[in-house]
Amino acid sequence: MDTPVYQGSCFCGKVTYEVMGKPLISAYCHCTLCQRLHSSAFIHTVHFSETSFKWTCAESCESVTDTYPVAGKPWKMRYRCKECGATVASHNSKANNWSIRGAQLERDETGKIKAWDELKPTAHMFYGTRMLDINDDLGKWEGYENQSKKIS
Ligand SMILES: [Zn+2]
Ligand SMILES: [Zn+2]
């Protein structure tokens, strides 16, 4: 079977990328950095291995993205679109992986994210700093799923 490939893009569509195969992590993140960066109570973050991520901008992605380090974590680099300002991905050189935002993945004609069953979140992480309670069946973790204390 061929490895599935998923497309993602920023708000304006100038910055595009693709990711392949099974995510390392797919979770709703309630950490304070994600809250601040996205002005959102939580986001859907999806992690892929180093080799499963590829920039695919029509022009060179280097010319249409800005990079900036995450405060206090020099091994984490964030990428945002110069045109629309949207954060598109971050790279972690310690873990050798890429993190993308689920909400930026390609949609089907009904507006739903394609291949949702393969990509959907399996947990809520950094749930201790949540801005609202979530009443679903997914596990709630203090940090990463299966690597931290389970809250509920
Ligand atoms: Zn953009
Ligand atoms: Zn987060």
Side-chain angles (χ1 to χ4, degrees):
M1 208 176 82
D2 287 344
T3 308
V5 178
Y6 313 107
Q7 320 289 332
S9 73
C10 66
F11 177 68
C12 76
K14 253 203 159 160
V15 179
T16 58
Y17 58 82
E18 59 186 35
V19 284
M20 276 178 289
K22 205 175 147 48
L24 302 171
I25 291 174
S26 177
Y28 293 115
C29 187
H30 297 256
C31 85
T32 57
L33 288 175
C34 286
Q35 288 169 350
R36 237 173 234 283
L37 182 66
H38 300 278
S39 305
S40 180
F42 59 94
I43 66 155
H44 174 202
T45 183
V46 200
H47 292 200
F48 285 89
S49 71
E50 185 79 43
T51 51
S52 301
F53 175 95
K54 200 168 81 189
W55 294 111
T56 57
C57 307
E59 304 165 42
S60 87
C61 276
E62 233 167 74
S63 65
V64 290
T65 54
D66 274 328
T67 58
Y68 58 107
V70 177
K73 295 180 181 172
W75 59 92
K76 273 193 180 177
M77 190 62 87
R78 288 196 186 280
Y79 292 76
R80 80 184 146 206
C81 174
K82 276 187 189 173
E83 186 82 20
C84 68
T87 296
V88 276
S90 54
H91 181 253
N92 184 329
S93 58
K94 230 184 209 179
N96 279 324
N97 64 31
W98 287 88
S99 153
I100 59 147
R101 317 287 159 253
Q104 293 176 341
L105 289 166
E106 199 182 358
R107 307 294 173 124
D108 66 19
E109 51 292 329
T110 68
K112 295 221 167 93
I113 291 173
K114 288 185 177 174
W116 181 244
D117 281 342
E118 280 75 57
L119 299 170
K120 69 185 175 194
T122 58
H124 290 274
M125 56 187 197
F126 299 96
Y127 193 64
T129 51
R130 68 189 175 281
M131 293 171 69
L132 78 167
D133 293 335
I134 308 288
N135 294 310
D136 66 6
D137 297 334
L138 300 179
K140 319 284 190 295
W141 301 82
E142 229 155 59
Y144 289 111
E145 184 181 15
N146 297 323
Q147 296 174 41
S148 64
K149 209 176 137 242
K150 202 169 184 209
I151 295 171
S152 68

